[in-house]
């Protein structure tokens, strides 16, 4: 993976670094717990973990302002936690319980929060890309200065609808940051096997869209690139593409034995490029925190995740009365 950074790193305070450490750790521990609950049969269906990619959402959320929107694929737990959604509500949705964000009827891939401006959670590869442009269109129409982060993967980047969206987004100068989370794989297909073009962000040039590649294992590099992209969009210059080079440590989903890559490849990434470890080192070498301080944070995060897991087991199954609610907009179920 290229460790090239195209954006200069900003100065960062101790408080900010600690916050990024916390936020990334929350995602990792939450995902590890989700993996355990899946193994225990408490979570069913599809479940795509975000372990390894934490610096992407945490860095971009650090560049976002209140009211900015986000929309992503099925690999969505990290995005929800990073924008401030309640870990209890997310975990209870994974276990299909009433206390979940979709009252237990959506599951891992289908959660939303109007309050946190999180628009899903989409299972169809790249379907969220035109929707993200639509959200940005609404903001432009309302002249409210908001920006939409539209996340999609390296595999999704080969979908035709992405390019129709690029064309319209640039034509209408929509305030949308297209975030390509290039984690090197689309299910079992490596990016080298799916495309000959070396960089995905450069495809935007065909539509007049600017962009850049970012080191997604460095939360500060992501934040800096995010700030640049957001400022560009807010200035009314139109969309911007960030191709964020990252890596997923787990299989595509919980049912993937990941036989298309070697253990050594994953191990090397974990040992040499882990984003959380990187911030941990910065905190320790910069004397911003001691080992004990970090242990304390670890404990606190584990507590939050354990509480979420407890809640997700205790929350009741959705009642049968809920079967026909929230299905279609403005449709009131009729008495049989
Ligand atoms: C339109 C469509 N085609 C195929 C699939 C099956 N599918 C689910 S995820 C996926 C791979 C997508 O990879 P990528 O965009 O790189 O995202 P990642 O899983 O790496 O986050 C595929 C082919 C689907 N859900 N939707
Ligand atoms: Mg991918």
């Amino acid at each position: 993976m290229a460790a090239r950074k195209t954006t200069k790193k900003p100065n960062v305070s101790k408080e900010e670094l600690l916050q990024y450490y916390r936020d990334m750790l929350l995602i990792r521990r939450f995902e590890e717990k989700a993996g355990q609950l899946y193994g225990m049969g408490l979570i069913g269906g599809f479940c795509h973990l975000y372990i390894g990619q934490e610096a992407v959402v945490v860095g971009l959320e650090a560049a976002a302002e209140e009211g900015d929107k986000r929309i992503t694929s099925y690999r969505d737990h990290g995005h929800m936690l990073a924008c401030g959604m309640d870990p209890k509500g997310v975990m209870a949705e994974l276990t299909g319980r009433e206390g979940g964000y979709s009252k237990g009827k959506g599951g891992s891939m289908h959660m939303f929060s109007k309050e946190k401006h999180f628009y899903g959670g989409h299972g169809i590869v790249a379907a969220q890309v035109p929707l993200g442009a639509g959200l940005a269109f609404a903001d432009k129409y309302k002249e409210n200065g908001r920006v939409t982060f539209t996340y999609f993967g390296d595999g999704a980047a080969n979908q035709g609808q992405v390019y129709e969206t690029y064309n319209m987004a640039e034509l209408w100068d929509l305030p949308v940051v297209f975030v390509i989370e290039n984690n090197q794989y689309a299910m079992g297909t490596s990016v080298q096997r799916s495309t000959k073009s070396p960089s995905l962000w450069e495809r935007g040039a065909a539509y007049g869209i600017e962009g850049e590649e970012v080191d997604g294992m460095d939360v500060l590099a992501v934040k800096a690139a995010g700030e640049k992209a957001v400022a560009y969009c807010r200035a009314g210059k139109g969309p911007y593409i960030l191709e964020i080079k990252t890596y997923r440590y787990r299989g595509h989903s919980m049912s993937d034995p990941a036989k298309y890559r070697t253990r050594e490849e994953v191990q090397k990434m974990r040992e040499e490029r882990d984003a959380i470890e990187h911030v941990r080192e910065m905190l320790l070498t910069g004397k911003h925190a001691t080992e004990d301080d970090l242990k304390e944070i670890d404990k606190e995060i584990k507590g939050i995740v354990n509480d979420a897991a407890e809640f997700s087991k205790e929350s009741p199954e959705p009642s049968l009365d809920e079967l026909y609610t929230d299905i279609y907009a403005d449709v009131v179920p009729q008495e049989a």
Side-chain angles (χ1 to χ4, degrees):
M1 177 203 291
R4 183 158 59 90
K5 297 165 194 78
T6 47
T7 312
K8 211 171 158 283
K9 281 190 195 178
N11 287 330
V12 64
S13 71
K14 165 188 166 179
E15 287 70 30
E16 282 173 284
L17 266 187
L18 281 168
Q19 191 60 52
Y20 305 151
Y21 182 73
R22 255 197 192 90
D23 293 348
M24 290 195 288
L25 202 61
L26 174 64
I27 296 173
R28 182 151 310 173
R29 298 286 174 259
F30 181 96
E31 292 291 65
E32 287 167 354
K33 181 61 79 181
Q36 282 171 15
L37 297 185
Y38 196 96
M40 292 160 69
L42 287 161
I43 296 173
F46 289 104
C47 185
H48 310 82
L49 302 182
Y50 196 65
I51 297 176
Q53 300 182 212
E54 298 89 347
V56 180
V57 278
V58 170
L60 291 181
E61 284 298 334
E65 281 177 17
E66 177 51 38
D68 288 341
K69 300 181 168 71
R70 59 282 290 163
I71 186 165
T72 189
S73 71
Y74 43 83
R75 198 177 303 287
D76 55 357
H77 314 160
H79 303 69
M80 293 187 273
L81 298 176
C83 75
M85 287 169 66
D86 182 359
K88 288 183 177 166
V90 180
M91 198 69 97
E93 190 56 42
L94 298 186
T95 54
R97 305 300 174 96
E98 202 178 85
Y101 268 100
S102 300
K103 301 181 195 164
K105 299 187 291 180
S108 166
M109 305 193 288
H110 305 110
M111 284 182 242
F112 307 86
S113 168
K114 241 180 137 176
E115 185 202 348
K116 299 291 179 191
H117 312 286
F118 177 77
Y119 288 85
H122 295 267
I124 302 300
V125 169
Q128 74 276 18
V129 180
L131 296 177
L135 291 168
F137 180 83
D139 285 333
K140 182 172 165 111
Y141 186 77
K142 291 179 190 158
E143 298 180 353
N144 61 14
R146 304 278 54 100
V147 167
T148 297
F149 292 88
T150 298
Y151 294 84
F152 55 102
D154 45 287
N158 290 323
Q159 267 260 6
Q161 58 187 317
V162 170
Y163 299 94
E164 294 182 40
T165 304
Y166 278 1
N167 188 47
M168 289 202 277
E170 178 63 20
L171 186 66
W172 295 335
D173 289 330
L174 301 183
V176 50
V177 183
F178 292 112
V179 184
I180 307 173
E181 292 200 62
N182 185 349
N183 62 8
Q184 326 287 327
Y185 292 93
M187 297 185 85
T189 307
S190 70
V191 77
Q192 289 81 6
R193 286 177 63 217
S194 67
T195 180
K196 273 202 172 179
S197 46
S199 69
L200 302 173
W201 72 268
E202 283 182 347
R203 295 178 184 178
Y207 304 87
I209 307 180
E210 289 191 29
E212 63 190 271
E213 179 186 306
V214 187
D215 178 0
M217 303 311 260
D218 178 346
V219 71
L220 299 184
V222 176
K223 180 187 179 235
E227 281 171 346
K228 183 177 163 189
V230 162
Y232 184 95
C233 293
R234 268 201 239 290
K237 295 180 181 169
Y240 198 89
I241 301 173
L242 295 178
E243 179 184 352
I244 308 196
K245 291 289 200 75
T246 182
Y247 197 79
R248 66 165 157 73
Y249 295 170
R250 298 289 186 96
H252 168 72
S253 69
M254 289 303 295
S255 53
D256 171 18
K259 292 203 170 129
Y260 43 84
R261 61 182 181 184
T262 62
R263 283 170 99 81
E264 289 71 31
E265 179 185 310
V266 183
Q267 203 51 33
K268 191 169 159 50
M269 211 46 136
R270 273 180 176 273
E271 280 166 13
E272 295 176 10
R273 298 303 326 279
D274 187 70
I276 300 180
E277 208 44 50
H278 179 59
V279 172
R280 188 184 153 80
E281 270 165 34
M282 274 195 279
L283 283 165
L284 292 174
T285 53
K287 301 212 183 312
H288 298 309
T290 63
E291 292 273 3
D292 282 347
D293 294 336
L294 298 183
K295 268 187 199 147
E296 203 46 49
I297 294 176
D298 282 16
K299 226 172 102 183
E300 188 193 313
I301 299 292
K302 268 189 192 139
I304 296 171
V305 169
N306 285 337
D307 288 350
E310 274 318 301
F311 178 77
S312 79
K313 292 179 203 165
E314 282 161 13
S315 177
E317 303 272 348
S319 131
L320 276 183
D321 301 341
E322 283 287 341
L323 208 53
Y324 297 105
T325 62
D326 313 312
I327 307 289
Y328 299 109
D330 302 325
V331 174
V332 181
Q334 302 295 313
E335 289 292 320

